[in-house]
Amino acid sequence: MLRKLAALATMVAASVVAPVGSAHADDYSPKIPTQTRIQVVVGDPGQPITIKVGSSANYPTPPEGDIAVRISGQSSSARAARSAAAAPIFSTTVHFVDKTISIEGPRLPKGTYLGTAHLTPDDGDLFLPSSDTTEFRVGAVPGGEGDNNGNLPNTGGPDVMWLLLGGGLLVAGAGGVGFGRRRSAPAAA
């Protein structure tokens, strides 16, 4: 009992010497993340492309701001990629308020291109900036390599006949295993 009273006295003395700090909230005001979207609608080579850009946030009103749009050529070599990044084929800035914006882009020859959109919000104290990138091809052969119209590639899946044959073999195998494991009566000697 004496030990418990000594421990209690020590705790009281410690709280008098070093008072417990009060809890208070920090000055924390988080910025809301935004999401920028870019979509490029492609026609035939030599036809103008249509660029659609927009932005959203998890907030009752969407973020307003400037969206910088760039279209550049896509290349496999590092030197060509740096020069394409330095000099885009097309660039513009639009002011986004609430609805998706459509921009008529340049006429592009056959090839692979890169489209980027970067949002700089008007209210930088409330919203964070964001970016989006998309790669697109002009002149891809429909149904050919690289363009499957959003469908899965034809992998040569089985016909219904092969599916039924496989199911029948599965049932026959299960029946054989069941028959083989069946207990037989011991032979009388």
Side-chain angles (χ1 to χ4, degrees):
M1 182 71 165
L2 189 57
R3 289 173 128 184
K4 291 181 182 178
L5 287 174
L8 181 62
T10 304
M11 289 177 58
V12 169
S15 66
V16 169
V17 173
V20 177
S22 62
H24 66 286
D26 288 338
D27 295 331
Y28 179 70
S29 60
K31 293 184 179 182
I32 300 170
T34 60
Q35 182 178 10
T36 302
R37 298 171 310 281
I38 182 171
Q39 178 187 10
V40 180
V41 180
V42 179
D44 293 329
Q47 297 293 322
I49 61 172
T50 303
I51 307 162
K52 296 182 180 186
V53 292
S55 185
S56 63
N58 190 10
Y59 195 70
T61 58
E64 294 183 14
D66 293 331
I67 298 179
V69 179
R70 291 176 56 154
I71 303 294
S72 57
Q74 186 78 351
S75 179
S76 60
S77 71
R79 179 178 290 184
R82 281 194 301 270
S83 65
I89 296 169
F90 175 79
S91 67
T92 187
T93 301
V94 293
H95 189 74
F96 174 77
V97 177
D98 190 16
K99 304 284 183 196
T100 300
I101 299 172
S102 290
I103 305 164
E104 185 172 335
R107 299 173 187 268
L108 297 175
K110 184 176 181 178
T112 304
Y113 298 91
L114 188 68
T116 60
H118 179 75
L119 170 73
T120 304
D122 288 344
D123 190 359
D125 294 334
L126 181 61
F127 295 108
L128 289 171
S130 63
S131 298
D132 189 22
T133 303
T134 184
E135 183 178 329
F136 62 96
R137 292 182 53 126
V138 175
V141 179
E145 185 179 331
D147 182 18
N148 56 13
N149 297 326
N151 298 322
L152 292 174
N154 183 4
T155 58
D159 292 331
V160 174
M161 178 188 72
W162 293 111
L163 182 65
L164 292 175
L165 180 63
L169 287 173
L170 182 68
V171 169
V177 168
F179 182 74
R181 290 189 174 194
R182 193 172 65 167
R183 294 190 163 204
S184 58

